[in-house]
Amino acid sequence: MDVNEVKIHDHDLVPHKGFKLINGTHDPDDVDQIYNLETRDSDVFVVTYPKSGTIWMQQILLLLEAKGDLTAISKHLNGDLVPWIEVYGQRQMFITAPSPRMRVSHLPFQFMPSALSQKGKVIYVARNPKDVLVSYFYFHKVANMLETPTDFNDFFEKFMRGDVFGSSWFEHIKTWYSHKDDINMLFITYEEMIQDLHSAVERIALFLGKELTDEELADVVKHSTFNNMKNIPQANYEQVSSELLSHHRGRFMRKGTIGDWKSHFTVAQNEMFDKVFHGEMAGIPLFFVWGIKDIA
Ligand code: PPS
């Protein structure tokens, strides 16, 4: 099934084994089977909580594979070339797909192929959760399979309760991070990529064992900057039907920066967020960049 075949049933989230799936996009029985998939050494899974840089990483993987040649990847949507493994029908296609199989996923660790502990690689992209929340708020207005929030506060509360597809941001990152040594995983942040995209792409290429010339690497970087990606229709999913995405209400390449939360959070929301963050992340050695000035 390609992206355009996803059916809009209603806005229901389907609770499944402690995680919330989207009705019509995911099938719980199918998702359960992902755990049993055989993996290959050449498999690459990009794992993210929604709105953390999934499409950005799809673009980088595709460009690394094409040695920086944008025209080689321009005919299809990023999500058709590097699909979400949990979208209904994709698991079956994965089984027979030729190598290298590159996939993205928003699933928590416990649903992913157990064989990843033996074969295959994972790139986990983390983003500071305040910016994730804001980006996800706007995406709910665009994506017709997700309920449009009444207002920002309504969405803020849903996000904090984990009452969204992806469930709790805190649980997602903590479970994946706690398994980082059990699998072959590169942990990278959205903010590191913003700060120095060239170094990030070099790290990703090294992790994947891709050998590119300096010129090819520079092309990968050039075609994955926000300014260039915002003009690439397939990276913005512009070909996806208006039944699925209300394109007039927003874009995938929206702001592409760090700290947009500062123009959205009230003082009270920020205090509440910090309190929850510090409680949930106590003892976890992860540090986030919360504003663009922090890296300038
Ligand atoms: S999704 O729907 O979960 O797949 O969305 P995802 O791709 O994970 O996240 C979308 C946000 O990533 C931003 N983005 C980028 N930022 C900087 N540089 C590049 N090249 C880039 N590509 C995507 C995109 O703009 C969304 O963030 P916001 O804050 O909404 O702009």
Side-chain angles (χ1 to χ4, degrees), residues 13 18 27 29 33 36 46 52 58 86 93 100 103 142 150 167 171 181 189 248 275 287-288 293:
L13 294 173
D27 174 75
D29 293 336
Q33 296 295 323
N36 299 315
V46 170
S52 302
Q58 284 172 332
E86 61 267 31
M93 288 169 76
R103 296 294 183 271
V142 176
T150 341
S167 297
E171 284 311 310
D181 299 325
T189 66
H248 62 285
K275 199 167 161 218
F287 301 94
F288 287 93
K293 288 202 186 102

Side-chain angles (χ1 to χ4, degrees), residues 11-278:
H11 300 125
D12 278 354
L13 294 173
V14 185
H16 183 61
K17 299 184 176 170
F19 187 72
K20 293 192 175 74
L21 299 168
I22 306 172
N23 191 21
T25 303
H26 309 117
D27 174 75
D29 293 336
D30 200 57
V31 166
D32 280 347
Q33 296 295 323
I34 292 173
Y35 184 81
N36 299 315
L37 285 172
E38 297 287 332
T39 53
R40 304 175 193 158
D41 287 324
S42 54
D43 289 342
V44 183
F45 287 90
V46 170
V47 178
T48 55
Y49 187 88
K51 312 322 286 181
S52 302
T54 325
I55 294 162
W56 198 359
M57 201 53 89
Q58 284 172 332
Q59 181 83 355
I60 292 171
L61 292 194
L62 287 168
L63 285 166
L64 283 173
E65 207 52 43
K67 298 198 180 296
D69 180 4
L70 184 65
T71 54
I73 68 162
S74 297
K75 290 188 191 70
H76 302 280
L77 291 172
N78 282 19
D80 287 342
L81 297 172
V82 187
W84 276 262
I85 189 79
E86 61 267 31
V87 169
Y88 185 65
Q90 285 299 339
R91 180 190 59 84
Q92 200 57 41
M93 288 169 76
F94 176 81
I95 295 170
T96 51
S99 299
R101 299 182 298 189
M102 303 188 290
R103 296 294 183 271
V104 287
S105 181
H106 297 311
L107 290 176
F109 179 82
Q110 60 272 22
F111 285 100
M112 292 296 278
S114 62
L116 274 172
S117 60
Q118 311 288 327
K119 289 179 179 178
K121 294 179 179 174
V122 171
I123 301 176
Y124 189 96
V125 191
R127 184 180 189 186
N128 94 52
K130 295 182 185 178
D131 284 329
V132 168
L133 191 158
V134 171
S135 179
Y136 213 3
F137 166 68
Y138 285 103
F139 187 61
H140 274 67
K141 298 182 181 201
V142 176
N144 295 333
M145 71 292 275
L146 301 171
E147 189 179 11
T148 305
T150 341
D151 55 29
F152 184 73
N153 195 51
D154 169 47
F155 186 74
F156 182 91
E157 287 176 2
K158 285 200 169 100
F159 183 92
M160 296 313 279
R161 286 198 305 271
D163 198 8
V164 289
F165 168 57
S167 297
S168 156
W169 178 90
F170 302 98
E171 284 311 310
H172 199 275
I173 193 160
K174 283 193 288 188
T175 11
W176 274 101
Y177 190 74
S178 69
H179 288 285
K180 68 177 179 2
D181 299 325
D182 305 338
I183 51 180
N184 193 355
M185 180 169 122
L186 173 72
F187 187 93
I188 193 163
T189 66
Y190 177 97
E191 291 77 19
E192 285 173 300
M193 291 165 67
I194 291 269
Q195 184 169 13
D196 186 347
L197 185 56
H198 196 278
S199 298
V201 169
E202 271 180 340
R203 268 177 78 195
I204 297 161
L206 189 69
F207 176 69
L208 299 178
K210 299 278 170 213
E211 287 179 12
L212 277 75
T213 63
D214 288 349
E215 201 183 327
E216 288 166 346
L217 214 59
D219 281 341
V220 174
V221 175
K222 179 169 120 195
H223 299 308
S224 50
T225 62
F226 183 78
N227 278 341
N228 284 333
M229 278 181 68
K230 73 179 183 201
N231 298 319
I232 301 176
Q234 60 277 13
N236 282 282
Y237 287 75
E238 281 173 18
Q239 299 93 326
V240 171
S241 77
S242 54
E243 195 201 342
L244 276 179
L245 298 175
S246 296
H247 296 287
H248 62 285
R249 292 167 118 198
R251 310 193 78 223
F252 270 87
M253 301 298 129
R254 193 187 60 90
K255 279 269 165 88
T257 189
I258 309 170
D260 193 31
W261 64 271
K262 293 179 187 180
S263 337
H264 292 79
F265 280 34
T266 63
V267 173
Q269 283 167 342
N270 194 34
E271 282 172 6
M272 194 259 202
F273 195 105
D274 284 346
K275 199 167 161 218
V276 174
F277 183 90
H278 290 123

